[in-house]
Amino acid sequence: MRGMTVGETAERADLLAAAAVEAVEGTGAYAGSVFLRSRDRRSVVLAAAYGAPPSLLGGWRLIPVSSPIPLATAYRSGRTVHLANAEETMRRYPQLAVALPYAFGSCSVPVGAAGETFGALAVVWAASPGSEGLSRARRRHVRTVAGRLGSALAALRARTGDPVECAPETVPIEIPAPSATAVRVGLFGWDLGSGTFRGDDELCAIFGLDPRAFDGQATSLAACLHPGDLAAFLSAAREAAARGRRITARRLRVRERGGGEGYRTVELWARVLEAGDGPARRQLVGAVVDSRAGSAAVAAVERLRDGLFSLAPDGRVTYANHTALRQLDVSGDELLGQVLWDALPWLADPDVESRHRSAMISQAPASFLACQAPDHWLAFSLHPEADGVTGRVVPLGQPPSTSAPPASAAEPATAATPTRLGVMHHVLQLGSALTEAVTTRQVCEVVSDQLLPAFGGQQLAIYVVRNGTMHRLFHTGRHEDFLDGLEGAPLHARLPGTEALTAGAPLFIESRQDLTRNYPGAPTGEVNSWAYLPLIASSHPVGTCVLGFDSNHRFTEKDRGVLTALAGLIAQALERAKLYDSEFAIARGLQQALLPHRLPVIPGIRTVARYLPGTSGMDIGGDWYDAIPTGKGVALIIGDVQGHSIAAAATMAQLRSAVRAFTAVSHTPGEVMAGVNRTLFDLDPGLLASCCYLQVAADTHHAHAVTAGHPPPLLRRPDGTTEVLDLGIGPLLGVERTSAYPTTPVDLPPGSVLALYTDGLVEEPGADIDVGIDRLRSSLAHARADSLDELADRLLHNARRSSYRADDIALLLTEYGPGAPGRDGAPGGGPRGAP
């Protein structure tokens, strides 16, 4: 990517700033922001903000694309996300609402052109409970602004190559909200030789002149001055011209508009310039400052006995009258320009920052009490506007425990709200994502998806401790050799990854020079900055999480605090996942042991089986299949015990044994099923089961089938036509001890394929099971059948690709006739599974 020129960068900045301003002013919101995608497309980066400073709304400079945040959703989906009020925000985006528990609404829209999304634009407004948010016209305005911005960015990229992406370290453009003007400034140029006077419209307004009627002569302005000031002013001008001096803060009295005896005081600031053309002559250029409104306001405020102060939107003190300074026991130099709760240690309470944030975001007054000394209580009230907060502070006559409730008593309690909302959001977001990750692999993927885009990193590796040494569990990024030196290193090795873990403190290295200075010989690869996070759970060292940055990265105090807080969550999640993996392996091993390892070899009959465990939990299921030689052919069985538990698996094993026992004594299919039903009653596990049982004769073209509430088998004939067998259906096993099960004869032409399956293969949430059965029938009819193994894999193709299977799946295929010579069931004909 080529470098950007100043002009190109400035043009893009102008586009972003104009879009943010237009979106806010056209909707009546008080803040707006534009985020552009990062170069790796994993996050969106704050590019411009208007109105409230970014720190007020959480301070999120980088937002992972996968985040449950409205703006990220708008970017991902390409749709508008309109949240009318706090109630809707809580319902649809609870993590955001917990991090920002204030009365506001928001509208986020994608920014892009020609089907390509560059970023997202959002506006925020104060919203009382039950408010309906932006009207359709105003939402349309936001989308229009975003659309124009996207088209302009695309055109700029095509014309100049100026990229639409933002680097993680991009400093956003910040445009403050407009505020009332307390000072007026008029600019002028005065040719002392000719007397020509050029002034702007503001200067004419200060002197009470119509800009269109001003004749450009100094004498016309002089007529507006107090006669007592005119001679002194002209003398100062002549002396400045003769000696090249400046005129600083010369006070002049200007006649009030409309004439009369009234005058107001202004200040003159000017300097002399040498003309560069023609005969040498002197010119005076400068400004006239009219601060009457500001001075009058300050004078009026200073006369009050209440303490009054003004805060910028980010909480910095911009003014405090003498009474406020006295009550706060602080000087102006100590307070002005500082954040209120940082400058006064006794106000360093999370509730104070939260009250200010609540006032600004909700645009509603807020109040709180604070104790400066053991018995010196002060009452604060905050009155917001978009450009800041006016505060009032008064002493309480008695401690709050015996006084009337303060104004804040009627407001929602927010004392528990943390001061660092960005930290809270990251913790909530990662914590929420980790609750859905159960395996170590899933935990590692969640950590990668959350941390890298949030902090602008490009590499991530997670090492765990095994037998006193470090072993890499997970890695993502372009550089395969990332931290190879840590693999197999003992815990006592002098490496940043081991020392961070043994010391229990994170380690932040911002450059290669820092790394080589503190750890000579440590491998660097192609990484330039590192964050080593020790993963410790219950005082037990789990491992180390390492973030790598391709360029030098400065870790702010906030970055360090957030990453340190997140390390504990990652460690706990990994420990839980390791336990899950171990128990999962044991449970799956038990279930596999209960299923047949090989299927029998029957001349003229070929069988294959497949088994897929569910993916939604660790509990094992009760699906089973079997093929039992009968002397004349084979008995085919498939069943499903209710539930997913050790009890279901144990019941499955007992039923499988019962089927084999009843088959061995040459019972008919109906007798076998009735005997298995009685066995289930005798076992009394409190579970029901379904089953399908067929006896297939190898020397005839017939079979006899019986079902106990199980999905019907499918039969594919040699010409490819496939049907759902219409069998007499008996009740589920375990419903009634004396249940009878009707037997249905089935014709099996040579070359036909019989499919038995469990409901996990055909059930879909919200759909009738018959729809799933017909879909499986169609798949069986049209799938290539070069081999029975290939056919089984094709029928399970979609199920294998699904990351979420709520139920186990068992499939048993049987090919009958001369085209199906008997073969050993393993490996091709044996059961195959997939995790």
Side-chain angles (χ1 to χ4, degrees), residues 699-728:
D699 56 351
T700 71
H701 300 163
H702 303 290
H704 293 84
V706 62
T707 66
H710 198 83
L714 305 178
L715 177 64
R716 170 173 164 163
R717 300 184 182 279
D719 61 359
T721 58
T722 305
E723 63 178 310
V724 180
L725 294 182
D726 184 13
L727 305 182

PDB file of all heavy atoms in Angstrom, residues 699-728:
ATOM      1  N   ASP A 699     -31.194 -66.388   1.319  1.00  0.00           N
ATOM      2  CA  ASP A 699     -31.514 -67.236   0.164  1.00  0.00           C
ATOM      3  C   ASP A 699     -32.885 -66.921  -0.420  1.00  0.00           C
ATOM      4  O   ASP A 699     -33.381 -67.643  -1.279  1.00  0.00           O
ATOM      5  CB  ASP A 699     -31.443 -68.712   0.560  1.00  0.00           C
ATOM      6  CG  ASP A 699     -32.355 -69.023   1.746  1.00  0.00           C
ATOM      7  OD1 ASP A 699     -32.895 -68.059   2.344  1.00  0.00           O
ATOM      8  OD2 ASP A 699     -32.515 -70.220   2.079  1.00  0.00           O
ATOM      9  N   THR A 700     -33.561 -65.914   0.056  1.00  0.00           N
ATOM     10  CA  THR A 700     -34.848 -65.492  -0.502  1.00  0.00           C
ATOM     11  C   THR A 700     -34.809 -64.003  -0.761  1.00  0.00           C
ATOM     12  O   THR A 700     -33.829 -63.323  -0.439  1.00  0.00           O
ATOM     13  CB  THR A 700     -35.996 -65.802   0.465  1.00  0.00           C
ATOM     14  OG1 THR A 700     -35.912 -64.929   1.591  1.00  0.00           O
ATOM     15  CG2 THR A 700     -35.962 -67.260   0.926  1.00  0.00           C
ATOM     16  N   HIS A 701     -35.903 -63.502  -1.317  1.00  0.00           N
ATOM     17  CA  HIS A 701     -36.001 -62.068  -1.584  1.00  0.00           C
ATOM     18  C   HIS A 701     -36.914 -61.390  -0.578  1.00  0.00           C
ATOM     19  O   HIS A 701     -37.572 -60.391  -0.897  1.00  0.00           O
ATOM     20  CB  HIS A 701     -36.524 -61.824  -3.006  1.00  0.00           C
ATOM     21  CG  HIS A 701     -35.659 -62.401  -4.073  1.00  0.00           C
ATOM     22  ND1 HIS A 701     -36.104 -62.596  -5.363  1.00  0.00           N
ATOM     23  CD2 HIS A 701     -34.376 -62.854  -4.053  1.00  0.00           C
ATOM     24  CE1 HIS A 701     -35.131 -63.130  -6.089  1.00  0.00           C
ATOM     25  NE2 HIS A 701     -34.070 -63.287  -5.308  1.00  0.00           N
ATOM     26  N   HIS A 702     -36.952 -61.919   0.639  1.00  0.00           N
ATOM     27  CA  HIS A 702     -37.921 -61.403   1.605  1.00  0.00           C
ATOM     28  C   HIS A 702     -37.245 -61.113   2.939  1.00  0.00           C
ATOM     29  O   HIS A 702     -36.206 -61.678   3.289  1.00  0.00           O
ATOM     30  CB  HIS A 702     -39.073 -62.400   1.809  1.00  0.00           C
ATOM     31  CG  HIS A 702     -39.789 -62.748   0.539  1.00  0.00           C
ATOM     32  ND1 HIS A 702     -40.590 -61.865  -0.127  1.00  0.00           N
ATOM     33  CD2 HIS A 702     -39.817 -63.910  -0.175  1.00  0.00           C
ATOM     34  CE1 HIS A 702     -41.084 -62.447  -1.212  1.00  0.00           C
ATOM     35  NE2 HIS A 702     -40.621 -63.704  -1.267  1.00  0.00           N
ATOM     36  N   ALA A 703     -37.897 -60.196   3.665  1.00  0.00           N
ATOM     37  CA  ALA A 703     -37.510 -59.888   5.036  1.00  0.00           C
ATOM     38  C   ALA A 703     -38.781 -59.655   5.824  1.00  0.00           C
ATOM     39  O   ALA A 703     -39.865 -59.432   5.263  1.00  0.00           O
ATOM     40  CB  ALA A 703     -36.614 -58.659   5.092  1.00  0.00           C
ATOM     41  N   HIS A 704     -38.677 -59.728   7.143  1.00  0.00           N
ATOM     42  CA  HIS A 704     -39.812 -59.439   8.022  1.00  0.00           C
ATOM     43  C   HIS A 704     -39.373 -58.367   9.011  1.00  0.00           C
ATOM     44  O   HIS A 704     -38.305 -58.487   9.635  1.00  0.00           O
ATOM     45  CB  HIS A 704     -40.263 -60.704   8.754  1.00  0.00           C
ATOM     46  CG  HIS A 704     -40.856 -61.718   7.829  1.00  0.00           C
ATOM     47  ND1 HIS A 704     -40.086 -62.617   7.099  1.00  0.00           N
ATOM     48  CD2 HIS A 704     -42.167 -61.978   7.495  1.00  0.00           C
ATOM     49  CE1 HIS A 704     -40.873 -63.376   6.362  1.00  0.00           C
ATOM     50  NE2 HIS A 704     -42.150 -63.013   6.582  1.00  0.00           N
ATOM     51  N   ALA A 705     -40.210 -57.328   9.123  1.00  0.00           N
ATOM     52  CA  ALA A 705     -39.820 -56.149   9.905  1.00  0.00           C
ATOM     53  C   ALA A 705     -40.842 -55.851  10.988  1.00  0.00           C
ATOM     54  O   ALA A 705     -42.051 -56.110  10.830  1.00  0.00           O
ATOM     55  CB  ALA A 705     -39.666 -54.935   8.995  1.00  0.00           C
ATOM     56  N   VAL A 706     -40.353 -55.251  12.082  1.00  0.00           N
ATOM     57  CA  VAL A 706     -41.213 -54.816  13.173  1.00  0.00           C
ATOM     58  C   VAL A 706     -40.615 -53.538  13.745  1.00  0.00           C
ATOM     59  O   VAL A 706     -39.396 -53.369  13.794  1.00  0.00           O
ATOM     60  CB  VAL A 706     -41.339 -55.913  14.253  1.00  0.00           C
ATOM     61  CG1 VAL A 706     -39.980 -56.216  14.874  1.00  0.00           C
ATOM     62  CG2 VAL A 706     -42.331 -55.510  15.341  1.00  0.00           C
ATOM     63  N   THR A 707     -41.472 -52.605  14.159  1.00  0.00           N
ATOM     64  CA  THR A 707     -40.990 -51.339  14.732  1.00  0.00           C
ATOM     65  C   THR A 707     -41.685 -51.069  16.058  1.00  0.00           C
ATOM     66  O   THR A 707     -42.839 -51.461  16.267  1.00  0.00           O
ATOM     67  CB  THR A 707     -41.248 -50.139  13.791  1.00  0.00           C
ATOM     68  OG1 THR A 707     -42.655 -49.935  13.675  1.00  0.00           O
ATOM     69  CG2 THR A 707     -40.627 -50.368  12.433  1.00  0.00           C
ATOM     70  N   ALA A 708     -40.960 -50.381  16.913  1.00  0.00           N
ATOM     71  CA  ALA A 708     -41.514 -49.920  18.190  1.00  0.00           C
ATOM     72  C   ALA A 708     -41.312 -48.408  18.252  1.00  0.00           C
ATOM     73  O   ALA A 708     -40.342 -47.915  18.821  1.00  0.00           O
ATOM     74  CB  ALA A 708     -40.814 -50.613  19.353  1.00  0.00           C
ATOM     75  N   GLY A 709     -42.236 -47.696  17.591  1.00  0.00           N
ATOM     76  CA  GLY A 709     -42.195 -46.241  17.615  1.00  0.00           C
ATOM     77  C   GLY A 709     -40.986 -45.623  16.955  1.00  0.00           C
ATOM     78  O   GLY A 709     -40.649 -44.466  17.238  1.00  0.00           O
ATOM     79  N   HIS A 710     -40.328 -46.363  16.067  1.00  0.00           N
ATOM     80  CA  HIS A 710     -39.086 -45.872  15.453  1.00  0.00           C
ATOM     81  C   HIS A 710     -39.363 -45.361  14.039  1.00  0.00           C
ATOM     82  O   HIS A 710     -40.294 -45.847  13.373  1.00  0.00           O
ATOM     83  CB  HIS A 710     -38.051 -47.002  15.406  1.00  0.00           C
ATOM     84  CG  HIS A 710     -36.647 -46.511  15.207  1.00  0.00           C
ATOM     85  ND1 HIS A 710     -35.867 -46.065  16.242  1.00  0.00           N
ATOM     86  CD2 HIS A 710     -35.884 -46.397  14.088  1.00  0.00           C
ATOM     87  CE1 HIS A 710     -34.695 -45.708  15.779  1.00  0.00           C
ATOM     88  NE2 HIS A 710     -34.687 -45.890  14.458  1.00  0.00           N
ATOM     89  N   PRO A 711     -38.570 -44.369  13.543  1.00  0.00           N
ATOM     90  CA  PRO A 711     -38.749 -43.916  12.158  1.00  0.00           C
ATOM     91  C   PRO A 711     -38.631 -45.085  11.184  1.00  0.00           C
ATOM     92  O   PRO A 711     -37.794 -45.979  11.365  1.00  0.00           O
ATOM     93  CB  PRO A 711     -37.609 -42.902  11.961  1.00  0.00           C
ATOM     94  CG  PRO A 711     -37.311 -42.409  13.334  1.00  0.00           C
ATOM     95  CD  PRO A 711     -37.538 -43.583  14.238  1.00  0.00           C
ATOM     96  N   PRO A 712     -39.455 -45.119  10.137  1.00  0.00           N
ATOM     97  CA  PRO A 712     -39.494 -46.268   9.222  1.00  0.00           C
ATOM     98  C   PRO A 712     -38.232 -46.381   8.372  1.00  0.00           C
ATOM     99  O   PRO A 712     -37.622 -45.369   8.012  1.00  0.00           O
ATOM    100  CB  PRO A 712     -40.721 -45.975   8.348  1.00  0.00           C
ATOM    101  CG  PRO A 712     -40.843 -44.480   8.372  1.00  0.00           C
ATOM    102  CD  PRO A 712     -40.418 -44.058   9.739  1.00  0.00           C
ATOM    103  N   PRO A 713     -37.842 -47.607   8.008  1.00  0.00           N
ATOM    104  CA  PRO A 713     -36.679 -47.783   7.135  1.00  0.00           C
ATOM    105  C   PRO A 713     -36.960 -47.262   5.724  1.00  0.00           C
ATOM    106  O   PRO A 713     -38.114 -47.064   5.327  1.00  0.00           O
ATOM    107  CB  PRO A 713     -36.461 -49.297   7.127  1.00  0.00           C
ATOM    108  CG  PRO A 713     -37.277 -49.826   8.263  1.00  0.00           C
ATOM    109  CD  PRO A 713     -38.412 -48.881   8.451  1.00  0.00           C
ATOM    110  N   LEU A 714     -35.885 -47.047   4.970  1.00  0.00           N
ATOM    111  CA  LEU A 714     -35.988 -46.662   3.566  1.00  0.00           C
ATOM    112  C   LEU A 714     -35.456 -47.800   2.713  1.00  0.00           C
ATOM    113  O   LEU A 714     -34.469 -48.471   3.079  1.00  0.00           O
ATOM    114  CB  LEU A 714     -35.176 -45.385   3.290  1.00  0.00           C
ATOM    115  CG  LEU A 714     -35.496 -44.147   4.147  1.00  0.00           C
ATOM    116  CD1 LEU A 714     -34.569 -43.002   3.775  1.00  0.00           C
ATOM    117  CD2 LEU A 714     -36.946 -43.731   3.987  1.00  0.00           C
ATOM    118  N   LEU A 715     -36.085 -48.005   1.549  1.00  0.00           N
ATOM    119  CA  LEU A 715     -35.639 -49.050   0.640  1.00  0.00           C
ATOM    120  C   LEU A 715     -35.366 -48.431  -0.728  1.00  0.00           C
ATOM    121  O   LEU A 715     -36.260 -47.839  -1.346  1.00  0.00           O
ATOM    122  CB  LEU A 715     -36.700 -50.149   0.508  1.00  0.00           C
ATOM    123  CG  LEU A 715     -36.358 -51.268  -0.486  1.00  0.00           C
ATOM    124  CD1 LEU A 715     -35.120 -52.046  -0.013  1.00  0.00           C
ATOM    125  CD2 LEU A 715     -37.549 -52.213  -0.669  1.00  0.00           C
ATOM    126  N   ARG A 716     -34.114 -48.580  -1.166  1.00  0.00           N
ATOM    127  CA  ARG A 716     -33.746 -48.130  -2.509  1.00  0.00           C
ATOM    128  C   ARG A 716     -33.648 -49.366  -3.407  1.00  0.00           C
ATOM    129  O   ARG A 716     -32.864 -50.273  -3.158  1.00  0.00           O
ATOM    130  CB  ARG A 716     -32.405 -47.395  -2.484  1.00  0.00           C
ATOM    131  CG  ARG A 716     -31.848 -47.100  -3.870  1.00  0.00           C
ATOM    132  CD  ARG A 716     -30.638 -46.228  -3.764  1.00  0.00           C
ATOM    133  NE  ARG A 716     -29.872 -46.227  -5.004  1.00  0.00           N
ATOM    134  CZ  ARG A 716     -28.948 -45.322  -5.311  1.00  0.00           C
ATOM    135  NH1 ARG A 716     -28.662 -44.357  -4.450  1.00  0.00           N
ATOM    136  NH2 ARG A 716     -28.296 -45.402  -6.431  1.00  0.00           N
ATOM    137  N   ARG A 717     -34.473 -49.372  -4.474  1.00  0.00           N
ATOM    138  CA  ARG A 717     -34.519 -50.512  -5.384  1.00  0.00           C
ATOM    139  C   ARG A 717     -33.391 -50.391  -6.417  1.00  0.00           C
ATOM    140  O   ARG A 717     -32.779 -49.330  -6.562  1.00  0.00           O
ATOM    141  CB  ARG A 717     -35.883 -50.578  -6.060  1.00  0.00           C
ATOM    142  CG  ARG A 717     -37.017 -50.728  -5.037  1.00  0.00           C
ATOM    143  CD  ARG A 717     -38.367 -50.890  -5.690  1.00  0.00           C
ATOM    144  NE  ARG A 717     -39.421 -50.989  -4.677  1.00  0.00           N
ATOM    145  CZ  ARG A 717     -39.724 -52.092  -4.013  1.00  0.00           C
ATOM    146  NH1 ARG A 717     -39.058 -53.216  -4.274  1.00  0.00           N
ATOM    147  NH2 ARG A 717     -40.679 -52.097  -3.113  1.00  0.00           N
ATOM    148  N   PRO A 718     -33.123 -51.472  -7.140  1.00  0.00           N
ATOM    149  CA  PRO A 718     -32.014 -51.451  -8.107  1.00  0.00           C
ATOM    150  C   PRO A 718     -32.137 -50.357  -9.161  1.00  0.00           C
ATOM    151  O   PRO A 718     -31.127 -49.851  -9.655  1.00  0.00           O
ATOM    152  CB  PRO A 718     -32.096 -52.848  -8.747  1.00  0.00           C
ATOM    153  CG  PRO A 718     -32.747 -53.708  -7.718  1.00  0.00           C
ATOM    154  CD  PRO A 718     -33.731 -52.825  -7.025  1.00  0.00           C
ATOM    155  N   ASP A 719     -33.381 -49.958  -9.529  1.00  0.00           N
ATOM    156  CA  ASP A 719     -33.537 -48.902 -10.537  1.00  0.00           C
ATOM    157  C   ASP A 719     -33.414 -47.507  -9.945  1.00  0.00           C
ATOM    158  O   ASP A 719     -33.598 -46.513 -10.648  1.00  0.00           O
ATOM    159  CB  ASP A 719     -34.889 -49.055 -11.245  1.00  0.00           C
ATOM    160  CG  ASP A 719     -36.073 -48.922 -10.281  1.00  0.00           C
ATOM    161  OD1 ASP A 719     -35.833 -48.739  -9.067  1.00  0.00           O
ATOM    162  OD2 ASP A 719     -37.230 -49.004 -10.744  1.00  0.00           O
ATOM    163  N   GLY A 720     -33.116 -47.379  -8.643  1.00  0.00           N
ATOM    164  CA  GLY A 720     -32.927 -46.083  -8.002  1.00  0.00           C
ATOM    165  C   GLY A 720     -34.153 -45.536  -7.323  1.00  0.00           C
ATOM    166  O   GLY A 720     -34.053 -44.595  -6.534  1.00  0.00           O
ATOM    167  N   THR A 721     -35.327 -46.070  -7.610  1.00  0.00           N
ATOM    168  CA  THR A 721     -36.526 -45.591  -6.910  1.00  0.00           C
ATOM    169  C   THR A 721     -36.413 -45.950  -5.425  1.00  0.00           C
ATOM    170  O   THR A 721     -35.963 -47.035  -5.063  1.00  0.00           O
ATOM    171  CB  THR A 721     -37.796 -46.218  -7.501  1.00  0.00           C
ATOM    172  OG1 THR A 721     -37.693 -47.649  -7.399  1.00  0.00           O
ATOM    173  CG2 THR A 721     -37.975 -45.813  -8.959  1.00  0.00           C
ATOM    174  N   THR A 722     -36.815 -45.009  -4.610  1.00  0.00           N
ATOM    175  CA  THR A 722     -36.640 -45.166  -3.164  1.00  0.00           C
ATOM    176  C   THR A 722     -37.961 -44.868  -2.474  1.00  0.00           C
ATOM    177  O   THR A 722     -38.651 -43.896  -2.824  1.00  0.00           O
ATOM    178  CB  THR A 722     -35.546 -44.218  -2.640  1.00  0.00           C
ATOM    179  OG1 THR A 722     -34.345 -44.454  -3.371  1.00  0.00           O
ATOM    180  CG2 THR A 722     -35.284 -44.449  -1.160  1.00  0.00           C
ATOM    181  N   GLU A 723     -38.311 -45.688  -1.512  1.00  0.00           N
ATOM    182  CA  GLU A 723     -39.577 -45.513  -0.806  1.00  0.00           C
ATOM    183  C   GLU A 723     -39.384 -45.624   0.702  1.00  0.00           C
ATOM    184  O   GLU A 723     -38.404 -46.214   1.184  1.00  0.00           O
ATOM    185  CB  GLU A 723     -40.585 -46.562  -1.261  1.00  0.00           C
ATOM    186  CG  GLU A 723     -40.172 -47.992  -0.958  1.00  0.00           C
ATOM    187  CD  GLU A 723     -41.225 -49.009  -1.388  1.00  0.00           C
ATOM    188  OE1 GLU A 723     -42.404 -48.803  -1.011  1.00  0.00           O
ATOM    189  OE2 GLU A 723     -40.873 -49.961  -2.090  1.00  0.00           O
ATOM    190  N   VAL A 724     -40.336 -45.033   1.413  1.00  0.00           N
ATOM    191  CA  VAL A 724     -40.403 -45.184   2.864  1.00  0.00           C
ATOM    192  C   VAL A 724     -41.273 -46.401   3.133  1.00  0.00           C
ATOM    193  O   VAL A 724     -42.441 -46.461   2.704  1.00  0.00           O
ATOM    194  CB  VAL A 724     -41.019 -43.926   3.527  1.00  0.00           C
ATOM    195  CG1 VAL A 724     -41.087 -44.118   5.038  1.00  0.00           C
ATOM    196  CG2 VAL A 724     -40.219 -42.686   3.173  1.00  0.00           C
ATOM    197  N   LEU A 725     -40.726 -47.405   3.797  1.00  0.00           N
ATOM    198  CA  LEU A 725     -41.479 -48.638   4.025  1.00  0.00           C
ATOM    199  C   LEU A 725     -42.650 -48.388   4.970  1.00  0.00           C
ATOM    200  O   LEU A 725     -42.499 -47.760   6.027  1.00  0.00           O
ATOM    201  CB  LEU A 725     -40.553 -49.708   4.607  1.00  0.00           C
ATOM    202  CG  LEU A 725     -39.443 -50.197   3.669  1.00  0.00           C
ATOM    203  CD1 LEU A 725     -38.623 -51.282   4.353  1.00  0.00           C
ATOM    204  CD2 LEU A 725     -40.023 -50.712   2.354  1.00  0.00           C
ATOM    205  N   ASP A 726     -43.789 -48.889   4.542  1.00  0.00           N
ATOM    206  CA  ASP A 726     -45.011 -48.723   5.338  1.00  0.00           C
ATOM    207  C   ASP A 726     -45.154 -49.948   6.237  1.00  0.00           C
ATOM    208  O   ASP A 726     -45.670 -50.994   5.820  1.00  0.00           O
ATOM    209  CB  ASP A 726     -46.210 -48.581   4.406  1.00  0.00           C
ATOM    210  CG  ASP A 726     -47.504 -48.295   5.162  1.00  0.00           C
ATOM    211  OD1 ASP A 726     -47.408 -47.968   6.377  1.00  0.00           O
ATOM    212  OD2 ASP A 726     -48.589 -48.403   4.560  1.00  0.00           O
ATOM    213  N   LEU A 727     -44.690 -49.823   7.473  1.00  0.00           N
ATOM    214  CA  LEU A 727     -44.693 -50.943   8.414  1.00  0.00           C
ATOM    215  C   LEU A 727     -45.782 -50.754   9.458  1.00  0.00           C
ATOM    216  O   LEU A 727     -46.170 -49.625   9.785  1.00  0.00           O
ATOM    217  CB  LEU A 727     -43.337 -51.057   9.110  1.00  0.00           C
ATOM    218  CG  LEU A 727     -42.094 -51.163   8.224  1.00  0.00           C
ATOM    219  CD1 LEU A 727     -40.847 -51.306   9.091  1.00  0.00           C
ATOM    220  CD2 LEU A 727     -42.206 -52.328   7.251  1.00  0.00           C
ATOM    221  N   GLY A 728     -46.224 -51.876   9.991  1.00  0.00           N
ATOM    222  CA  GLY A 728     -47.111 -51.800  11.149  1.00  0.00           C
ATOM    223  C   GLY A 728     -46.321 -51.280  12.350  1.00  0.00           C
ATOM    224  O   GLY A 728     -45.255 -51.785  12.678  1.00  0.00           O
TER     225      GLY A 728
END
